[in-house]
Amino acid sequence: EPRHSHCIQAYPNPFSGSLNLKTYFARGSSAKILDVLGRIVRIIDFEAGAQQSTIDTSGMTPGLYLVSLDGYPACSIKVIRR
């Protein structure tokens, strides 16, 4: 089941291979995936007009992560890698 805040959606969650992110903003933006220590694990750039991206999560260790939409501090969601 997709999990989402009011402005970003992440699915599947929990994930094991790839992670799909969808933003509800029409203009280009970027998002960061942070580990529990606040370290940036991935940076995702949404092209202008693009609202969805599939992220290859190989190399990410199992655990809890935070996906945060840049410029919108309230736009974040917790995801779990199995």
Side-chain angles (χ1 to χ4, degrees):
E1 171 179 326
R3 297 212 16 143
H4 58 86
S5 69
H6 61 281
C7 52
I8 193 165
Q9 182 178 14
Y11 58 94
N13 191 15
F15 64 95
S16 57
S18 61
L19 177 66
N20 299 295
L21 297 179
K22 182 175 182 180
T23 178
Y24 296 97
F25 293 104
R27 65 180 179 83
S29 59
S30 62
K32 292 179 184 148
I33 300 178
L34 305 137
D35 66 13
V36 292
L37 299 176
R39 296 178 296 206
I40 298 170
V41 177
R42 297 273 194 286
I43 296 175
I44 302 96
D45 289 316
F46 295 97
E47 295 178 20
Q51 294 177 294
Q52 188 165 331
S53 183
T54 300
I55 292 87
D56 175 14
T57 63
S58 60
M60 291 174 62
T61 57
L64 180 67
Y65 293 88
L66 181 71
V67 179
S68 177
L69 195 60
D70 287 346
Y72 302 93
C75 292
S76 61
I77 186 167
K78 294 176 185 172
V79 294
I80 299 170
R81 184 173 195 324
R82 290 190 217 183

Coordinates of all heavy atoms in Angstrom, one line a residue:
E1 N 0.9 -1.2 0.0 CA 0.0 0.0 0.0 C 0.9 1.2 0.0 O 1.8 1.3 0.8 CB -0.9 0.0 1.2 CG -1.6 1.3 1.4 CD -2.5 1.2 2.7 OE1 -3.1 0.1 3.0 OE2 -2.7 2.2 3.3
P2 N 0.6 2.2 -0.9 CA 1.4 3.4 -0.9 C 1.3 4.2 0.4 O 0.2 4.3 1.0 CB 0.8 4.2 -2.1 CG 0.1 3.2 -2.9 CD -0.4 2.2 -1.9
R3 N 2.4 4.8 0.8 CA 2.4 5.7 2.0 C 2.7 7.1 1.4 O 3.5 7.2 0.5 CB 3.4 5.3 3.0 CG 3.2 3.9 3.6 CD 3.6 3.7 5.0 NE 3.8 5.0 5.6 CZ 3.5 5.1 6.9 NH1 3.0 4.2 7.6 NH2 3.8 6.3 7.5
H4 N 2.0 8.1 2.0 CA 2.3 9.4 1.5 C 2.0 10.5 2.5 O 1.3 10.3 3.4 CB 1.5 9.7 0.2 CG 0.0 9.5 0.4 ND1 -0.8 10.6 0.9 CD2 -0.8 8.5 0.3 CE1 -2.0 10.1 1.0 NE2 -2.1 8.9 0.6
S5 N 2.7 11.6 2.4 CA 2.4 12.8 3.1 C 1.4 13.6 2.2 O 1.0 13.0 1.2 CB 3.6 13.6 3.5 OG 4.2 14.1 2.3
H6 N 1.2 14.8 2.5 CA 0.3 15.6 1.7 C 0.9 16.0 0.3 O 0.3 16.5 -0.5 CB -0.2 16.8 2.4 CG 0.9 17.7 2.8 ND1 1.7 17.5 3.9 CD2 1.4 18.9 2.3 CE1 2.6 18.4 4.0 NE2 2.4 19.3 3.1
C7 N 2.2 15.7 0.1 CA 2.9 16.2 -1.1 C 3.8 15.2 -1.7 O 4.3 15.5 -2.8 CB 3.6 17.5 -0.8 SG 4.7 17.4 0.6
I8 N 4.1 14.1 -1.1 CA 5.0 13.1 -1.7 C 4.5 11.7 -1.3 O 4.0 11.5 -0.3 CB 6.5 13.3 -1.3 CG1 7.4 12.5 -2.1 CG2 6.6 13.0 0.2 CD1 8.9 12.9 -2.0
Q9 N 4.6 10.8 -2.3 CA 4.2 9.4 -2.1 C 5.4 8.5 -2.4 O 6.1 8.7 -3.3 CB 3.0 9.1 -3.1 CG 2.4 7.8 -2.9 CD 1.3 7.6 -3.9 OE1 1.1 8.3 -4.8 NE2 0.5 6.5 -3.7
A10 N 5.5 7.4 -1.6 CA 6.5 6.4 -1.8 C 5.9 5.0 -1.8 O 5.2 4.7 -0.9 CB 7.6 6.5 -0.7
Y11 N 6.3 4.2 -2.8 CA 5.7 2.9 -2.8 C 6.7 2.0 -3.7 O 7.4 2.5 -4.5 CB 4.3 2.9 -3.4 CG 4.2 3.5 -4.8 CD1 4.3 2.7 -6.0 CD2 4.1 4.8 -5.0 CE1 4.2 3.2 -7.2 CE2 4.0 5.4 -6.3 CZ 4.1 4.6 -7.4 OH 4.1 5.1 -8.6
P12 N 6.7 0.7 -3.4 CA 6.1 0.0 -2.3 C 6.8 0.4 -1.0 O 8.0 0.8 -1.0 CB 6.3 -1.5 -2.6 CG 7.6 -1.5 -3.4 CD 7.6 -0.2 -4.2
N13 N 6.2 0.3 0.1 CA 6.8 0.6 1.4 C 6.2 -0.4 2.4 O 5.0 -0.3 2.7 CB 6.5 2.0 1.8 CG 7.3 2.5 3.0 OD1 8.3 1.8 3.4 ND2 6.8 3.5 3.6
P14 N 7.1 -1.3 2.9 CA 8.5 -1.4 2.8 C 8.9 -1.8 1.3 O 8.1 -2.4 0.6 CB 8.9 -2.5 3.8 CG 7.7 -3.0 4.4 CD 6.5 -2.3 3.9
F15 N 10.2 -1.6 1.0 CA 10.7 -1.9 -0.3 C 11.9 -2.8 -0.2 O 12.5 -2.8 0.8 CB 11.0 -0.6 -1.1 CG 12.1 0.2 -0.5 CD1 13.4 0.1 -1.0 CD2 11.8 1.1 0.5 CE1 14.4 0.9 -0.4 CE2 12.8 1.9 1.0 CZ 14.1 1.8 0.6
S16 N 12.3 -3.4 -1.3 CA 13.5 -4.2 -1.3 C 14.3 -4.0 -2.5 O 15.5 -4.1 -2.5 CB 13.2 -5.7 -1.1 OG 12.3 -6.2 -2.1
G17 N 13.7 -3.7 -3.6 CA 14.5 -3.5 -4.9 C 14.5 -2.0 -5.2 O 15.3 -1.2 -4.7
S18 N 13.5 -1.6 -6.0 CA 13.4 -0.2 -6.4 C 12.3 0.5 -5.5 O 11.4 -0.2 -5.0 CB 13.1 -0.1 -7.9 OG 11.9 -0.7 -8.2
L19 N 12.4 1.8 -5.5 CA 11.4 2.6 -4.7 C 10.9 3.6 -5.7 O 11.6 4.3 -6.4 CB 12.1 3.3 -3.5 CG 11.2 4.2 -2.7 CD1 10.1 3.4 -2.0 CD2 12.1 4.9 -1.7
N20 N 9.6 3.7 -5.8 CA 8.9 4.7 -6.6 C 8.5 5.9 -5.8 O 7.9 5.8 -4.7 CB 7.6 4.2 -7.3 CG 8.0 3.0 -8.1 OD1 8.6 3.1 -9.2 ND2 7.5 1.8 -7.7
L21 N 8.9 7.1 -6.3 CA 8.5 8.4 -5.6 C 7.6 9.2 -6.5 O 7.9 9.3 -7.7 CB 9.7 9.2 -5.2 CG 10.7 8.6 -4.2 CD1 11.9 9.5 -4.0 CD2 10.0 8.3 -2.9
K22 N 6.6 9.8 -6.0 CA 5.7 10.6 -6.7 C 5.5 11.9 -5.9 O 5.2 11.9 -4.7 CB 4.4 10.0 -7.0 CG 3.5 10.8 -7.8 CD 2.2 10.0 -8.2 CE 1.3 10.9 -9.0 NZ 0.1 10.2 -9.4
T23 N 5.7 13.0 -6.6 CA 5.5 14.3 -6.0 C 4.2 15.0 -6.5 O 3.9 14.7 -7.7 CB 6.7 15.3 -6.1 OG1 6.4 16.5 -5.5 CG2 7.1 15.5 -7.5
Y24 N 3.6 15.8 -5.8 CA 2.4 16.4 -6.2 C 2.6 17.9 -6.6 O 1.6 18.6 -6.8 CB 1.3 16.3 -5.1 CG 0.9 14.9 -4.8 CD1 1.5 14.2 -3.8 CD2 0.1 14.2 -5.7 CE1 1.2 12.8 -3.6 CE2 -0.2 12.9 -5.5 CZ 0.4 12.2 -4.4 OH 0.1 10.9 -4.2
F25 N 3.8 18.2 -6.9 CA 4.1 19.6 -7.4 C 4.4 19.5 -8.8 O 5.1 18.6 -9.3 CB 5.3 20.2 -6.6 CG 5.0 20.4 -5.2 CD1 5.5 19.6 -4.2 CD2 4.2 21.5 -4.8 CE1 5.2 19.8 -2.8 CE2 3.9 21.8 -3.5 CZ 4.4 20.9 -2.5
A26 N 3.9 20.5 -9.6 CA 4.1 20.5 -11.0 C 5.5 20.9 -11.5 O 6.0 20.5 -12.5 CB 3.0 21.3 -11.7
R27 N 6.1 21.8 -10.7 CA 7.4 22.3 -11.2 C 8.5 21.3 -10.8 O 8.3 20.5 -9.9 CB 7.7 23.7 -10.6 CG 7.8 23.7 -9.1 CD 8.0 25.2 -8.7 NE 8.1 25.3 -7.2 CZ 9.2 25.0 -6.5 NH1 10.3 24.6 -7.1 NH2 9.2 25.2 -5.2
G28 N 9.6 21.5 -11.4 CA 10.8 20.6 -11.1 C 11.2 20.8 -9.6 O 11.2 21.9 -9.1
S29 N 11.6 19.7 -9.0 CA 12.1 19.8 -7.6 C 13.1 18.6 -7.4 O 13.3 17.8 -8.3 CB 10.9 19.7 -6.6 OG 10.2 18.5 -6.8
S30 N 13.6 18.5 -6.2 CA 14.5 17.4 -5.9 C 14.1 16.9 -4.5 O 13.5 17.5 -3.7 CB 15.9 17.8 -6.0 OG 16.2 18.8 -5.0
A31 N 14.5 15.6 -4.3 CA 14.3 15.0 -3.0 C 15.6 14.3 -2.5 O 16.5 14.0 -3.3 CB 13.2 14.0 -3.1
K32 N 15.7 14.1 -1.2 CA 16.8 13.4 -0.7 C 16.3 12.2 0.1 O 15.3 12.3 0.7 CB 17.6 14.3 0.3 CG 18.3 15.5 -0.4 CD 19.0 16.3 0.6 CE 19.6 17.5 -0.1 NZ 19.7 18.7 0.8
I33 N 17.1 11.1 0.1 CA 16.9 10.0 0.9 C 17.9 10.0 2.0 O 19.1 10.1 1.7 CB 16.9 8.7 0.2 CG1 15.8 8.7 -0.9 CG2 16.7 7.5 1.1 CD1 15.8 7.4 -1.8
L34 N 17.5 10.1 3.2 CA 18.5 10.2 4.4 C 18.4 8.9 5.2 O 17.3 8.4 5.4 CB 18.1 11.4 5.2 CG 18.1 12.7 4.5 CD1 16.9 13.5 4.9 CD2 19.4 13.5 4.7
D35 N 19.5 8.5 5.8 CA 19.5 7.4 6.7 C 19.1 7.9 8.1 O 18.9 9.1 8.3 CB 20.8 6.6 6.7 CG 22.0 7.4 7.2 OD1 21.8 8.4 7.8 OD2 23.1 6.9 7.0
V36 N 19.1 7.0 9.1 CA 18.6 7.4 10.4 C 19.6 8.3 11.1 O 19.3 9.0 12.1 CB 18.4 6.1 11.3 CG1 17.2 5.4 10.9 CG2 19.6 5.3 11.4
L37 N 20.8 8.4 10.6 CA 21.8 9.4 11.2 C 21.8 10.7 10.4 O 22.6 11.6 10.7 CB 23.2 8.8 11.1 CG 23.4 7.5 11.9 CD1 24.8 6.9 11.7 CD2 23.1 7.7 13.4
G38 N 20.9 10.9 9.5 CA 20.8 12.1 8.7 C 21.7 12.3 7.6 O 21.8 13.3 7.0
R39 N 22.4 11.2 7.2 CA 23.3 11.2 6.1 C 22.6 11.1 4.8 O 21.6 10.2 4.7 CB 24.4 10.1 6.2 CG 25.3 10.3 7.4 CD 26.3 9.2 7.5 NE 25.5 7.9 7.7 CZ 26.0 6.8 8.3 NH1 27.3 6.8 8.7 NH2 25.3 5.8 8.4
I40 N 22.9 11.8 3.8 CA 22.3 11.7 2.5 C 22.7 10.5 1.8 O 23.9 10.2 1.6 CB 22.6 13.0 1.6 CG1 22.0 14.2 2.3 CG2 22.0 12.8 0.2 CD1 22.5 15.5 1.6
V41 N 21.8 9.6 1.4 CA 22.0 8.4 0.7 C 21.8 8.5 -0.8 O 22.6 7.9 -1.6 CB 21.1 7.2 1.3 CG1 21.4 5.9 0.6 CG2 21.4 7.1 2.8
R42 N 20.8 9.2 -1.2 CA 20.5 9.4 -2.6 C 19.9 10.8 -2.7 O 19.2 11.3 -1.9 CB 19.4 8.5 -3.1 CG 19.8 7.0 -3.1 CD 20.6 6.6 -4.4 NE 20.7 5.2 -4.5 CZ 21.5 4.4 -3.9 NH1 22.2 4.9 -2.9 NH2 21.5 3.1 -4.1
I43 N 20.2 11.4 -3.9 CA 19.5 12.7 -4.3 C 18.7 12.4 -5.6 O 19.3 11.8 -6.5 CB 20.5 13.8 -4.5 CG1 21.2 14.1 -3.2 CG2 19.8 15.1 -5.1 CD1 22.3 15.2 -3.3
I44 N 17.5 12.8 -5.6 CA 16.6 12.5 -6.8 C 16.2 13.8 -7.3 O 15.6 14.7 -6.6 CB 15.4 11.7 -6.4 CG1 15.8 10.4 -5.7 CG2 14.5 11.5 -7.6 CD1 15.8 10.4 -4.2
D45 N 16.5 14.1 -8.6 CA 16.1 15.3 -9.3 C 14.8 15.0 -10.2 O 14.9 14.1 -11.1 CB 17.2 15.9 -10.2 CG 18.3 16.4 -9.3 OD1 18.0 17.1 -8.3 OD2 19.5 16.2 -9.6
F46 N 13.7 15.6 -9.9 CA 12.6 15.5 -10.7 C 12.7 16.6 -11.8 O 12.8 17.8 -11.5 CB 11.3 15.8 -9.9 CG 11.0 14.7 -8.8 CD1 11.4 14.9 -7.5 CD2 10.4 13.5 -9.2 CE1 11.1 14.0 -6.6 CE2 10.2 12.6 -8.2 CZ 10.5 12.8 -6.9
E47 N 12.6 16.2 -13.0 CA 12.7 17.2 -14.1 C 11.4 18.0 -14.1 O 10.4 17.6 -13.6 CB 12.9 16.5 -15.5 CG 14.2 15.7 -15.6 CD 14.3 15.0 -16.9 OE1 13.6 15.4 -17.8 OE2 15.1 14.1 -17.0
A48 N 11.5 19.2 -14.6 CA 10.4 20.1 -14.7 C 9.2 19.4 -15.4 O 9.4 18.8 -16.5 CB 10.7 21.4 -15.4
G49 N 8.1 19.3 -14.8 CA 6.9 18.6 -15.4 C 6.8 17.2 -15.0 O 5.8 16.6 -15.0
A50 N 8.0 16.5 -14.6 CA 8.0 15.1 -14.2 C 7.6 15.1 -12.7 O 8.1 15.8 -11.9 CB 9.3 14.5 -14.4
Q51 N 6.7 14.2 -12.4 CA 6.3 14.1 -11.0 C 6.6 12.7 -10.4 O 6.2 12.5 -9.3 CB 4.8 14.4 -10.9 CG 4.5 15.8 -11.3 CD 3.0 16.1 -11.3 OE1 2.3 15.5 -12.1 NE2 2.6 16.9 -10.3
Q52 N 7.3 11.8 -11.2 CA 7.5 10.5 -10.7 C 8.9 10.1 -11.0 O 9.4 10.4 -12.1 CB 6.5 9.5 -11.3 CG 6.6 8.2 -10.6 CD 5.3 7.3 -10.9 OE1 4.3 7.8 -11.1 NE2 5.5 6.0 -11.0
S53 N 9.5 9.3 -10.1 CA 10.8 8.7 -10.4 C 10.9 7.4 -9.7 O 10.4 7.1 -8.6 CB 11.9 9.7 -9.8 OG 13.2 9.2 -10.1
T54 N 11.7 6.5 -10.4 CA 11.9 5.1 -9.8 C 13.4 5.1 -9.4 O 14.3 5.4 -10.2 CB 11.6 4.0 -10.8 OG1 10.2 4.1 -11.1 CG2 11.9 2.7 -10.2
I55 N 13.7 4.8 -8.1 CA 15.0 4.8 -7.6 C 15.6 3.4 -7.4 O 14.9 2.6 -6.8 CB 15.1 5.6 -6.3 CG1 14.7 7.1 -6.5 CG2 16.4 5.5 -5.6 CD1 13.3 7.4 -6.4
D56 N 16.8 3.2 -7.9 CA 17.5 1.9 -7.7 C 18.1 2.0 -6.3 O 18.8 2.9 -6.0 CB 18.6 1.8 -8.8 CG 19.4 0.5 -8.5 OD1 19.0 -0.3 -7.7 OD2 20.5 0.5 -9.1
T57 N 17.7 1.1 -5.5 CA 18.1 1.1 -4.1 C 19.2 0.1 -3.8 O 19.4 -0.2 -2.6 CB 16.9 0.9 -3.1 OG1 16.3 -0.4 -3.3 CG2 15.8 2.0 -3.4
S58 N 19.8 -0.5 -4.8 CA 20.9 -1.4 -4.5 C 22.0 -0.7 -3.8 O 22.3 0.5 -4.1 CB 21.4 -2.0 -5.8 OG 21.9 -1.0 -6.7
G59 N 22.6 -1.3 -2.9 CA 23.6 -0.7 -2.1 C 23.1 -0.1 -0.8 O 23.9 0.3 0.1
M60 N 21.8 0.1 -0.7 CA 21.2 0.6 0.5 C 21.0 -0.5 1.5 O 20.5 -1.6 1.1 CB 19.9 1.4 0.3 CG 20.0 2.6 -0.5 SD 18.5 3.4 -1.0 CE 17.7 3.7 0.6
T61 N 21.4 -0.4 2.7 CA 21.3 -1.4 3.7 C 19.9 -1.4 4.3 O 19.2 -0.4 4.2 CB 22.3 -1.3 4.9 OG1 22.1 0.0 5.5 CG2 23.7 -1.4 4.4
P62 N 19.4 -2.6 4.7 CA 18.0 -2.6 5.3 C 17.9 -1.7 6.5 O 18.9 -1.5 7.3 CB 17.9 -4.1 5.8 CG 18.8 -4.8 4.9 CD 20.0 -3.9 4.7
G63 N 16.8 -1.0 6.6 CA 16.5 -0.1 7.7 C 15.6 1.0 7.4 O 14.9 1.0 6.3
L64 N 15.5 2.0 8.3 CA 14.5 3.1 8.1 C 15.2 4.2 7.4 O 16.4 4.6 7.7 CB 14.1 3.5 9.5 CG 13.1 4.7 9.6 CD1 11.8 4.3 9.0 CD2 12.9 5.1 11.1
Y65 N 14.5 4.9 6.5 CA 15.0 6.0 5.8 C 14.0 7.1 5.8 O 12.8 6.8 5.9 CB 15.4 5.7 4.3 CG 16.6 4.7 4.2 CD1 16.4 3.3 4.3 CD2 17.9 5.2 4.1 CE1 17.5 2.5 4.2 CE2 19.0 4.4 4.0 CZ 18.8 3.0 4.1 OH 19.8 2.2 4.0
L66 N 14.4 8.3 5.5 CA 13.5 9.5 5.4 C 13.7 10.0 4.0 O 14.8 10.3 3.6 CB 13.8 10.5 6.4 CG 12.9 11.8 6.4 CD1 11.5 11.4 6.9 CD2 13.5 12.9 7.3
V67 N 12.5 10.2 3.3 CA 12.5 10.9 2.0 C 12.0 12.3 2.2 O 10.9 12.4 2.7 CB 11.7 10.1 1.0 CG1 11.7 10.8 -0.4 CG2 12.1 8.7 0.8
S68 N 12.8 13.3 1.8 CA 12.4 14.7 2.1 C 12.5 15.4 0.8 O 13.5 15.4 0.1 CB 13.4 15.2 3.1 OG 13.2 16.6 3.3
L69 N 11.4 16.2 0.5 CA 11.3 17.0 -0.7 C 12.0 18.4 -0.4 O 11.6 19.1 0.5 CB 9.9 17.2 -1.1 CG 9.6 17.7 -2.5 CD1 10.1 16.8 -3.5 CD2 8.1 17.9 -2.7
D70 N 13.0 18.7 -1.2 CA 13.8 19.9 -0.9 C 12.9 21.2 -1.1 O 12.0 21.2 -2.0 CB 15.0 20.1 -1.9 CG 16.1 19.1 -1.6 OD1 16.1 18.6 -0.4 OD2 17.0 18.9 -2.4
G71 N 13.1 22.1 -0.2 CA 12.3 23.3 -0.3 C 10.9 23.3 0.4 O 10.2 24.2 0.6
Y72 N 10.6 22.1 0.9 CA 9.3 21.9 1.5 C 9.5 21.0 2.8 O 9.4 19.8 2.8 CB 8.3 21.2 0.6 CG 8.0 21.9 -0.7 CD1 8.8 21.7 -1.8 CD2 7.1 22.9 -0.7 CE1 8.6 22.4 -3.0 CE2 6.8 23.6 -1.9 CZ 7.6 23.4 -3.0 OH 7.4 24.0 -4.2
P73 N 10.0 21.6 3.9 CA 10.3 20.9 5.1 C 9.3 19.9 5.6 O 9.6 18.9 6.2 CB 10.7 21.9 6.1 CG 10.6 23.2 5.5 CD 10.1 23.1 4.1
A74 N 8.0 20.3 5.4 CA 6.9 19.4 5.9 C 6.7 18.2 5.0 O 5.9 17.4 5.3 CB 5.6 20.2 6.1
C75 N 7.3 18.2 3.8 CA 7.1 17.2 2.9 C 8.1 16.1 3.0 O 9.2 16.1 2.4 CB 7.1 17.7 1.4 SG 5.8 18.8 1.1
S76 N 7.9 15.2 3.9 CA 8.8 14.0 4.1 C 8.0 12.8 4.5 O 6.9 12.9 4.9 CB 9.8 14.4 5.2 OG 9.2 14.6 6.4
I77 N 8.6 11.7 4.2 CA 7.9 10.4 4.5 C 9.0 9.4 4.9 O 10.1 9.4 4.4 CB 7.1 9.9 3.3 CG1 6.3 8.7 3.6 CG2 8.0 9.7 2.1 CD1 5.3 8.4 2.6
K78 N 8.6 8.5 5.9 CA 9.5 7.4 6.3 C 9.3 6.2 5.4 O 8.1 5.9 5.1 CB 9.2 7.1 7.7 CG 9.6 8.2 8.7 CD 9.2 7.8 10.1 CE 9.4 8.9 11.1 NZ 8.9 8.7 12.4
V79 N 10.4 5.6 5.0 CA 10.3 4.4 4.2 C 11.2 3.3 4.8 O 12.2 3.7 5.5 CB 10.7 4.6 2.7 CG1 9.7 5.5 2.0 CG2 12.1 5.2 2.6
I80 N 10.9 2.1 4.6 CA 11.7 1.0 5.2 C 12.2 0.1 4.1 O 11.4 -0.4 3.2 CB 10.8 0.1 6.1 CG1 10.3 1.0 7.3 CG2 11.6 -1.1 6.7 CD1 9.3 0.4 8.2
R81 N 13.5 -0.1 4.1 CA 14.1 -1.1 3.2 C 14.3 -2.4 3.9 O 14.8 -2.5 5.0 CB 15.5 -0.6 2.7 CG 16.1 -1.6 1.6 CD 17.3 -1.1 1.0 NE 17.8 -1.6 -0.2 CZ 17.8 -2.9 -0.6 NH1 17.2 -3.8 0.1 NH2 18.4 -3.2 -1.7
R82 N 13.8 -3.5 3.2 CA 13.9 -4.8 3.8 C 15.2 -5.4 3.5 O 15.8 -5.2 2.5 CB 12.8 -5.7 3.2 CG 11.5 -5.4 3.7 CD 10.5 -6.5 3.2 NE 9.3 -5.9 2.8 CZ 8.2 -6.6 2.5 NH1 8.3 -7.8 2.4 NH2 7.1 -6.0 2.1

